């Protein structure tokens, strides 16, 4: 992979280093400077000319700072005559702004996609977008990964004969059904309603929950309102032990600590698409398990660089035996 150059923004350098270790290549240095007027400047401190450049930067808090840094990295790579610039964005925070559900509001997911394209990105590699339609907001190729197989490979260690997979809402039911097939489990979904003040209500879970252990699958956990409301309903419908799985463990505003207070929760599993501080991990009171998506992202990057199919990574169907896809 001599013609590849990988740089990282400041959002998640640990993940970038892990990805480069999987690829067997060095993480190239870069410098972020903040001037007296609060403007940012990015310098890529390695040759980019006619190279396949990958820029690793999940959009996590502070999202606006990391977004501007990413745009500047893209512009720097384009100005340095990179042959191709691929944005590796494991978490796209603006994917939640995907529709006009109130008068006179912006659709941030589309606007930020346009900004990346205008800055000079040729391709995007991302994981588990909040809504499938966000893929179409980009006018450049997008490789959309998911972490279902990594999550499933973790859960097959348990006795799942009395387990059901539950999606918090019908919007995530398709992914939950795919996940349930991997585990050989049935699937259920919550009847969820979100109100204007961002409050969440789940009236019931559609499926046979009584007496069963549960794996709750969601794309991300931010404030945890949906998961906590779902825990209430699952308990009322007679669920047993509950494990919670998500790709993006944001755990904002003390969400992990609030979830850990529920005695029926046996485990919370997320991936490392976003960085977690030690204090946030400690709030899980030993319940949190973090899985690495570095092997999956590294393999996708290798395939992009070599001109191979990325979608072929997800063609395997049915139950898995416990081994990771990679």
């Amino acid at each position: 992979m001599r013609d590849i150059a990988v740089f990282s923004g400041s959002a998640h350098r640990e993940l970038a280093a892990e990805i480069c270790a999987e690829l067997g290549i060095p993480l190239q240095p870069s410098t972020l400077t903040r001037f007296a007027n609060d403007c940012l400047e990015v310098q890529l401190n390695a040759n980019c000319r006619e190279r396949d450049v990958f820029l690793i930067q999940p959009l996590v808090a502070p999202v606006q700072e990391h977004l501007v840094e990413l745009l500047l990295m893209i512009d720097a790579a384009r100005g340095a005559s990179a042959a191709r610039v691929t944005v590796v964005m494991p978490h796209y925070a603006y994917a939640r702004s995907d529709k006009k559900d109130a008068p006179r509001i912006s659709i941030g997911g589309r606007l930020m996609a346009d900004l990346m394209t205008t800055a000079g990105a040729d391709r995007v590699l991302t994981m588990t977008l909040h809504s499938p339609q966000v893929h179409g907001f980009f006018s450049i190729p997008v490789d959309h990964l998911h972490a279902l197989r990594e999550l499933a490979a973790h859960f097959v260690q348990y006795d799942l004969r009395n387990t059901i997979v539950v999606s918090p809402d019908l919007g995530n039911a398709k992914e939950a059904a795919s996940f349930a097939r991997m585990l050989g489990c049935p699937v259920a979904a919550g009847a969820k309603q979100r109100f204007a003040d961002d409050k969440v209500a789940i009236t019931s879970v559609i499926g046979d929950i009584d007496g069963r252990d549960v794996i709750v699958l969601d794309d991300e956990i931010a404030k945890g309102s949906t998961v906590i409301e779902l825990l209430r309903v699952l308990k009322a419908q007679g669920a047993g032990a509950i494990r919670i799985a998500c790709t993006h463990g944001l755990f904002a505003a003390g969400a992990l600590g609030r979830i850990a207070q529920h005695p029926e929760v046996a485990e919370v599993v997320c991936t490392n698409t976003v960085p977690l501080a030690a204090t946030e991990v400690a709030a899980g009171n030993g319940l949190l398990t973090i899985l690495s998506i570095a092997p999956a992202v590294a393999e996708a990057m290798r395939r992009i660089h070599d001109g191979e199919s990325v979608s072929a990574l997800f063609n395997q169907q049915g139950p898995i035996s416990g081994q990771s896809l990679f």
Side-chain angles (χ1 to χ4, degrees), residues 8-325:
S8 173
S10 58
H12 202 346
R13 292 190 186 276
E14 296 83 1
L15 176 60
E18 196 175 338
I19 291 169
C20 286
E22 291 284 342
L23 290 170
I25 60 174
L27 178 61
Q28 301 294 346
S30 60
T31 303
L32 176 65
T33 303
R34 185 182 298 273
F35 294 108
N37 64 355
D38 204 38
C39 289
L40 298 177
E41 179 185 82
V42 168
Q43 182 178 19
L44 305 179
N45 300 317
N47 180 34
C48 297
R49 185 175 296 274
E50 297 305 319
R51 301 183 78 185
D52 200 2
V53 173
F54 291 82
L55 307 174
I56 301 175
Q57 180 87 321
L59 292 189
V60 295
V63 173
Q64 279 57 245
E65 289 266 329
H66 290 144
L67 172 64
V68 172
E69 182 185 7
L70 174 60
L71 295 174
L72 292 171
M73 292 174 70
I74 297 169
D75 181 70
R78 180 179 65 171
S81 302
R84 179 174 60 184
V85 179
T86 300
V87 172
V88 181
M89 186 171 51
H91 177 59
Y92 183 32
Y94 273 100
R96 296 187 70 128
S97 178
D98 63 340
K99 57 186 175 296
K100 238 187 151 175
D101 52 4
R104 298 172 298 281
I105 64 169
S106 58
I107 303 177
R110 184 181 62 196
L111 176 60
M112 303 311 155
D114 288 343
L115 288 175
M116 289 180 223
T117 304
T118 301
D122 298 299
R123 193 177 199 96
V124 170
L125 174 63
T126 189
M127 177 169 278
T128 314
L129 293 171
H130 184 67
S131 302
Q133 62 264 32
V134 176
H135 190 140
F137 287 174
F138 291 86
S139 58
I140 55 179
V142 176
D143 291 300
H144 186 193
L145 308 181
H146 64 68
L148 294 183
R149 300 201 66 84
E150 283 71 24
L151 291 168
H154 170 78
F155 283 103
V156 293
Q157 66 180 295
Y158 302 115
D159 183 353
L160 302 177
R161 287 175 293 182
N162 192 41
T163 299
I164 187 169
V165 174
V166 176
S167 169
D169 53 46
L170 296 175
N172 195 53
K174 182 178 179 180
E175 286 71 23
S178 297
F179 184 63
R181 282 195 297 271
M182 294 176 186
L183 297 177
C185 297
V187 65
K192 172 184 166 182
Q193 184 176 5
R194 187 179 292 276
F195 299 96
D197 56 2
D198 210 31
K199 288 185 178 179
V200 172
I202 298 177
T203 55
S204 64
V205 172
I206 305 167
D208 184 12
I209 303 299
D210 189 23
R212 287 180 175 270
D213 295 332
V214 170
I215 299 175
V216 174
L217 179 72
D218 208 351
D219 62 323
E220 69 177 55
I221 298 175
K223 293 188 298 183
S225 304
T226 297
V227 168
I228 291 172
E229 172 69 359
L230 181 59
L231 290 174
R232 179 189 66 79
V233 177
L234 290 172
K235 185 176 180 181
Q237 291 190 208
I242 300 172
R243 288 182 164 84
I244 299 167
C246 68
T247 301
H248 310 300
L250 302 175
F251 304 127
L256 184 57
R258 292 196 302 275
I259 293 170
Q261 291 174 3
H262 292 257
E264 62 272 23
V265 176
E267 186 180 27
V268 179
V269 182
C270 69
T271 74
N272 62 343
T273 55
V274 302
L276 287 175
T279 52
E280 294 172 323
V281 175
N285 198 25
L287 295 178
L288 182 64
T289 299
I290 303 174
L291 307 177
S292 178
I293 50 92
V297 175
E299 176 64 10
M301 289 169 61
R302 185 195 67 77
R303 286 171 178 257
I304 291 170
H305 177 69
D306 290 341
E308 299 177 10
S309 171
V310 174
S311 61
L313 296 174
F314 306 108
N315 287 342
Q316 187 174 345
Q317 301 293 325
I320 65 173
S321 58
Q323 287 79 25
S324 172
L325 182 60

